Amino acid sequence: MWLFFADNQRIFDSGITPPEDFMTFELTVNCRNTQAIHREAMKHYQGSITPDLKGPPGREVETRRTDDQPRAVAELLERLCREEEVPPQDVVVLSAHGVENSEVFNTMTGAYEFTRTRGEHGRKVYFSSIRGFKGLEAPVVILCELDDLEEQTREQQLYVGISRARSHCVIVEGALSP
């Protein structure tokens, strides 16, 4: 049995402690992300081990400031999927809120629609909370709805969300975000 723990990704207060007889192995190499994504994720990292990086250079993480996050996400999907020809099933939109409380999920319009099933084809883009996507990855990640979080929670969610992206990440923030 494998049991993965990462203090920096503790976005659930589960209170789980591994049994004393479990062997500990520290993951010291990041093989998932590009160098650009790794650099951005490390700005939010609070762990005791700084992982080495094996990924390619990659493109810089984008930050988009807006007062209309649903519209901004729709425009990003249009640009990424239509203009840059990223297959919609390679993009995931991650929110700090669950579907029920997500303005982006519930009000976004445009050429692409959200799905709760990964890998659907057509103009469908997977949508999840950051917590629900923990441990998973996607080629392109769009993070949104982080503005109303407390600073420590925001830092943890940014780290987890950014580190889910393999090749590109876009952070959509309110115009007055930190």
Side-chain angles (χ1 to χ4, degrees):
M1 177 189 299
W2 296 89
L3 185 60
F4 291 93
F5 281 88
D7 283 338
N8 200 64
Q9 293 193 38
R10 187 174 289 164
I11 59 177
F12 296 112
D13 280 331
S14 64
I16 296 173
T17 304
E20 288 184 25
D21 60 338
F22 267 51
M23 182 185 329
T24 301
F25 180 77
E26 295 176 345
L27 300 176
T28 59
V29 179
N30 177 346
C31 300
R32 173 186 292 151
N33 311 118
T34 65
Q35 293 172 27
I37 291 168
H38 177 79
R39 278 192 308 274
E40 189 65 29
M42 292 307 291
K43 292 177 185 177
H44 308 282
Y45 181 75
Q46 298 173 3
S48 59
I49 298 168
T50 303
D52 290 328
L53 179 65
K54 298 290 183 190
R59 64 196 275 191
E60 293 301 316
V61 172
E62 294 178 56
T63 299
R64 172 97 186 261
R65 298 197 184 278
T66 180
D67 287 326
D68 187 348
Q69 291 195 32
R71 181 175 54 86
V73 170
E75 290 170 358
L76 284 166
L77 291 173
E78 184 71 24
R79 187 192 88 207
L80 292 166
C81 298
R82 188 175 305 223
E83 295 172 24
E84 296 183 24
E85 299 181 351
V86 176
Q89 66 268 17
D90 285 354
V91 180
V92 63
V93 176
L94 299 179
S95 170
H97 301 290
V99 170
E100 307 79 32
N101 298 317
S102 170
E103 181 182 1
V104 171
F105 183 86
N106 291 303
T107 66
M108 194 194 81
T109 59
Y112 297 89
E113 65 181 271
F114 291 132
T115 180
R116 300 291 318 255
T117 305
R118 287 193 70 192
E120 283 193 45
H121 291 277
R123 292 178 178 243
K124 297 182 184 219
V125 174
Y126 185 72
F127 186 97
S128 176
S129 68
I130 295 168
R131 289 179 171 163
F133 204 70
K134 185 177 176 201
L136 302 174
E137 60 185 46
V140 179
V141 170
I142 299 172
L143 297 174
C144 60
E145 300 181 309
L146 296 152
D147 305 306
D148 59 348
L149 301 176
E150 294 178 12
E151 185 175 345
Q152 182 177 352
T153 301
R154 184 177 189 279
E155 289 298 307
Q156 290 172 328
Q157 295 241 355
L158 276 167
Y159 176 77
V160 171
I162 292 167
S163 66
R164 303 302 95 203
R166 286 197 315 258
S167 59
H168 187 49
C169 183
V170 182
I171 303 167
V172 179
E173 296 184 302
L176 301 176
S177 294

